[in-house]
Amino acid sequence: MADNATRLEHDLLGDKAVPADAYYGVQTARGLDNFHISGVHLHLYPDLIRAFAMVKMAAARANFECGQFSKDILTGIEGASREIIDGKLHDQFQLDMFQGGAGTSTNMNANEVIANRALELMGHQKGEYQYCDPHDHVNASQSTNDAYPSALHVGMALGNIRLVAAMNELIAAFRAKGREFSSILKMGRTQLQDAVPMTLGQEFMAFGETLAGEVRALEVIQNVICEVNMGATAIGTGLNAPKGYSPKWSAHLAAITGLPIHLAPDLIEATQDTQAFVLYSSCMKSLAIKLSKVCNDLRLLSSGPRCGLREINLPPKQPGSSIMPGKVNPVIPEVVNMVCFRVIGSDQTISMAAEGGQLQLNVFEPVIAACIFEAQTMFINAARTLRVHCVEGITANPEVCRHYVDYSIGTVTALNPVIGYDRSTELAAEATRTGRGILELIRERKILSEKQIAEVLDPMAMTGQGRPAS
């Protein structure tokens, strides 16, 4: 077939030529003409494409059970949908993520690709829609207003599973370093000032736990994501959906996806509502805040190599300067910081898009989808990058950490219960003024016996490790 061969298709606006070998049809072709916005195409987010195929497969099964079309059509739609779920034909989804029409172009892209592939599986040619039609069969008992958000919810849930897995691997890497560094004494810091002793292991365990708390929130929100409005059709009244269609569809989708899919209690409210997107975005924003703080700390702890804290060493990944020889920068935490900044900004976009809904529909779901799928993708990539190229290769400088403990005045805090706050403050002030050590002053003034010094000012005991729970 010649590269410029076409087939003629027709819609409300008239005839339009479509590439003969394309699985998409006339309405997708119009969307390709109209929306050159971000350069980010649907196929870059396979979870979204797979989700649409799952939604359409479940709809076909429910429609068949409701007597809407023949077994032959069901088999064709199922076969085409299964291929897309398995990763085929994704190159046929070239539309821009940013598009007007509340997602109609994307919904029709899925309808047309599935219909044309189903036609081939049924022994027909692309475009012979009298045998399997994008509207009458693939989109039967649906509208964009329930199919599109339902696919977004499913795609988000699929992506969330991968995001949780990637973050759990990163958390495991921090905890492994926590165990490796468990015996390395260092000074804790508050407000960038000396505080009290801790271990480097405790610091890294805390990095893991702060991220684990965010993962637990992502796991809890999964059930909210899986609430859908399928069967609402245009505004939630169920017009054009046969009796019993919605529960049949949701049961089939739950079986196809393995997700806890359930119908919203009020389909009119659910069709205009974007709460799940807002809540999920808030969870990702919270994760971004925590992850960025961890990366800030990694950069501080590794600052140097001669004039910074230098308590840890990040794996050197590339030369750091075009003018300063020998300089190596913390490029991996830096790039993860940038991902976090982007996700936090996207949350604001999602908030504005959710607020902008009017009456029975929110037409701004495409930008919400663009932000969420981008955030999931970047987080998954960032978690792997930080784990493989940074955390797993971090080493400690125990002698530097111990030096800070030995010369810090923070250990004076342990004297409060023994000699009182005021007298401890006097010691701290003199140590700061003279540059002398706390232990040196205590011994000179005979404030404590050597036995008391060993009991009260043992830095490892100050870390709380092994201390009975109060």
Side-chain angles (χ1 to χ4, degrees):
M1 183 178 294
D3 290 342
N4 60 354
T6 62
R7 66 177 187 268
L8 197 64
E9 294 200 10
H10 182 86
D11 65 4
L12 170 69
L13 301 183
D15 294 338
K16 184 171 179 62
V18 177
D21 61 350
Y23 285 91
Y24 62 78
V26 58
Q27 290 197 231
T28 302
R30 295 198 190 281
L32 289 170
D33 288 344
N34 291 333
F35 305 121
H36 296 274
I37 306 298
S38 68
V40 178
H41 301 146
L42 299 177
H43 69 85
L44 295 177
Y45 301 122
D47 287 331
L48 176 58
I49 306 305
R50 293 173 57 227
F52 260 103
M54 292 172 175
V55 165
K56 298 300 178 179
M57 180 188 285
R61 290 177 178 177
N63 275 311
F64 174 73
E65 291 176 1
C66 291
Q68 297 300 100
F69 46 63
S70 67
K71 179 71 171 178
D72 191 37
I73 291 173
L74 169 63
T75 301
I77 294 175
E78 283 184 320
S81 299
R82 174 52 60 191
E83 288 186 358
I84 295 171
I85 293 169
D86 291 341
K88 298 178 181 179
L89 300 177
H90 285 212
D91 63 335
Q92 297 297 303
F93 293 83
Q94 296 288 339
L95 287 169
D96 199 294
M97 287 292 293
F98 283 66
Q99 54 187 256
T104 296
S105 294
T106 298
N107 185 42
M108 286 308 303
N109 195 167
N111 291 332
E112 290 170 347
V113 172
I114 291 171
N116 279 305
R117 180 56 184 147
L119 285 169
E120 290 183 334
L121 295 174
M122 295 164 69
H124 305 292
Q125 299 296 314
K126 297 183 186 75
E128 293 184 340
Y129 295 137
Q130 66 269 32
Y131 301 108
C132 183
D133 187 84
H135 288 281
D136 295 337
H137 299 126
V138 184
N139 200 60
S141 309
Q142 304 156 60
S143 72
T144 294
N145 301 349
D146 54 6
Y148 183 78
S150 293
L152 297 190
H153 282 243
V154 172
M156 285 166 50
L158 296 174
N160 191 52
I161 291 171
R162 295 193 301 117
L163 173 55
V164 166
M167 284 297 166
N168 277 332
E169 290 179 343
L170 176 59
I171 291 164
F174 275 117
R175 288 172 171 166
K177 285 296 170 183
R179 292 188 292 272
E180 179 184 341
F181 300 153
S182 63
S183 63
I184 298 176
L185 271 170
K186 61 160 289 174
M187 285 302 296
R189 298 175 179 87
T190 58
Q191 296 167 276
L192 297 180
Q193 307 297 305
D194 301 356
V196 296
M198 64 185 303
T199 68
L200 191 60
Q202 288 174 317
E203 195 159 32
F204 273 76
M205 283 293 186
F207 291 155
E209 183 54 38
T210 197
L211 297 178
E214 300 307 308
V215 167
R216 288 191 289 271
L218 290 174
E219 290 171 334
V220 169
I221 203 70
Q222 184 82 333
N223 193 59
V224 176
I225 300 172
C226 290
E227 181 177 283
V228 295
N229 73 325
M230 200 65 169
T233 66
I235 66 169
T237 60
L239 181 66
N240 287 0
K243 184 177 180 180
Y245 168 79
S246 288
K248 291 180 187 294
W249 174 87
S250 62
H252 282 302
L253 188 63
I256 292 166
T257 62
L259 297 168
I261 301 294
H262 55 284
L263 289 172
D266 186 325
L267 295 184
I268 290 178
E269 189 277 335
T271 303
Q272 61 191 270
D273 183 53
T274 53
Q275 182 195 40
F277 303 137
V278 172
L279 292 176
Y280 186 68
S281 178
S282 295
C283 287
M284 288 201 293
K285 180 180 77 170
S286 184
L287 172 60
I289 291 168
K290 292 286 192 70
L291 184 58
S292 189
K293 189 269 182 188
V294 169
C295 288
N296 292 341
D297 286 355
L298 292 178
R299 292 191 292 116
L300 279 171
L301 293 173
S302 64
S303 59
R306 298 291 176 86
C307 302
L309 296 183
R310 205 168 65 88
E311 293 187 347
I312 63 173
N313 309 298
L314 305 186
K317 287 299 170 180
Q318 60 190 59
S321 175
S322 61
I323 189 173
M324 292 175 280
K327 191 169 189 288
V328 178
N329 294 329
V331 294
I332 302 302
E334 287 173 353
V335 76
V336 176
N337 278 129
M338 295 180 208
V339 168
C340 295
F341 302 158
R342 175 75 172 196
V343 172
I344 292 168
S346 291
D347 179 70
Q348 179 64 23
T349 299
I350 291 168
S351 297
M352 294 178 68
E355 185 276 334
Q358 298 157 328
L359 302 177
Q360 278 68 61
L361 184 67
N362 188 310
V363 302
F364 303 119
E365 287 181 347
V367 72
I368 292 175
C371 289
I372 287 177
F373 287 109
E374 179 193 63
Q376 286 183 328
T377 300
M378 289 196 302
F379 262 154
I380 291 167
N381 293 336
R384 181 189 179 278
T385 298
L386 185 62
R387 174 176 60 84
V388 172
H389 295 291
C390 182
V391 176
E392 291 178 347
I394 290 174
T395 58
N397 294 317
E399 69 289 348
V400 174
C401 294
R402 183 68 200 214
H403 170 80
Y404 291 141
V405 173
D406 291 343
Y407 284 87
S408 171
I409 63 168
T411 53
V412 76
T413 303
L415 293 175
N416 283 349
V418 181
I419 65 174
Y421 180 85
D422 288 341
R423 199 172 179 192
S424 298
T425 300
E426 291 174 7
L427 277 175
E430 183 173 350
T432 301
R433 185 177 66 256
T434 63
R436 301 173 71 186
I438 293 292
L439 278 176
E440 182 183 357
L441 293 174
I442 289 174
R443 288 189 172 108
E444 179 182 288
R445 298 183 180 188
K446 297 183 170 43
I447 295 174
L448 298 176
S449 67
E450 289 299 322
K451 180 180 179 183
Q452 287 175 310
I453 289 173
E455 292 174 351
V456 176
L457 293 179
D458 176 16
M460 187 59 79
M462 294 184 204
T463 68
Q465 292 189 158
R467 183 184 298 163
S470 57

